[in-house]
Amino acid sequence: PAGPFQRLARPIFRNSEIFGKMGMLDRLYGATALPRKDDWIALILCDSGNHYSWGLACMTAPGPEGPWSEPTLLLSVQRPEYFPAPVEFFPCFAVDERVYAPATSVCKNRNYQAVFAADLESAHLPAAWALTSDGGVWHSRRDPDERHGIWGQTFHGFVHGGKFTVMYPSKDG
């Protein structure tokens, strides 16, 4: 985390203002805001409610205070390319000018993950994203704290001194 953090006077989006603008994906939540060279990008998990589908959208702004653009759908089952479904994104993280969007299965098998990546400066373009890993990205051990594999959304971390430090939400016994 790059804190210190300060609450904005207005949220970067309100679902009541976005509803119906992104096809079947009608709710945004779980945003990761990242600075870029000339602006900021927010990568935002979205879902479809009754259609049981998830995706990743983005918004951009000149600064964290906004004004933020309308959301653009980046990753979803609506892509023409292979898309592993159903997976849920959040949080995203950047390392060396690349942004990574890990996604975990929302089915019973939480040990399935997919990782998408894009160059940070072009991450607002759907065509910039590629699936870099598909399957078991994270370990599955029979330890009591990992009884059902990853839980919540997916792993998150940061790189410092060449070491990837990971936050791993798990469902304990």
Side-chain angles (χ1 to χ4, degrees):
F5 300 101
Q6 180 178 340
R7 188 177 199 93
L8 297 174
R10 174 175 163 76
I12 65 172
F13 65 86
R14 288 190 171 119
N15 282 314
S16 60
E17 296 170 358
I18 292 169
F19 191 83
K21 294 182 179 180
M22 293 182 51
M24 73 175 191
L25 298 167
D26 55 15
R27 181 175 74 124
L28 281 74
Y29 58 104
T32 302
L34 300 167
R36 301 194 299 180
K37 288 180 184 160
D38 297 319
D39 67 354
W40 281 67
I41 186 167
L43 298 166
I44 310 162
L45 169 63
C46 49
D47 72 12
S48 65
N50 293 335
H51 299 288
Y52 300 100
S53 187
W54 288 261
L56 186 70
C58 83
M59 298 169 72
T60 59
E65 300 82 19
W68 288 87
S69 68
E70 290 289 320
T72 298
L73 187 59
L74 299 172
L75 300 169
S76 77
V77 295
Q78 298 172 37
R79 282 174 62 109
E81 301 88 5
Y82 167 71
F83 185 81
V87 292
E88 182 178 35
F89 298 90
F90 183 74
C92 299
F93 58 92
V95 179
D96 297 331
E97 305 304 316
R98 298 268 301 158
V99 62
Y100 297 89
T104 296
S105 169
V106 295
C107 297
K108 187 173 183 178
N109 179 8
R110 292 285 181 145
N111 290 322
Y112 169 84
Q113 297 92 33
V115 179
F116 289 85
D119 290 334
L120 182 59
E121 294 302 317
S122 59
H124 60 287
L125 304 170
W129 288 87
L131 180 64
T132 62
S133 185
D134 181 22
V137 176
W138 201 246
H139 56 76
S140 173
R141 300 184 309 215
R142 293 181 175 248
D143 294 343
D145 64 327
E146 295 183 18
R147 185 173 60 127
H148 295 292
I150 203 162
W151 195 252
Q153 272 68 38
T154 190
F155 60 87
H156 177 61
F158 60 91
V159 174
H160 180 71
K163 182 179 179 183
F164 185 33
T165 302
V166 175
M167 183 277 298
Y168 172 67
S170 64
K171 185 176 182 179
D172 62 34

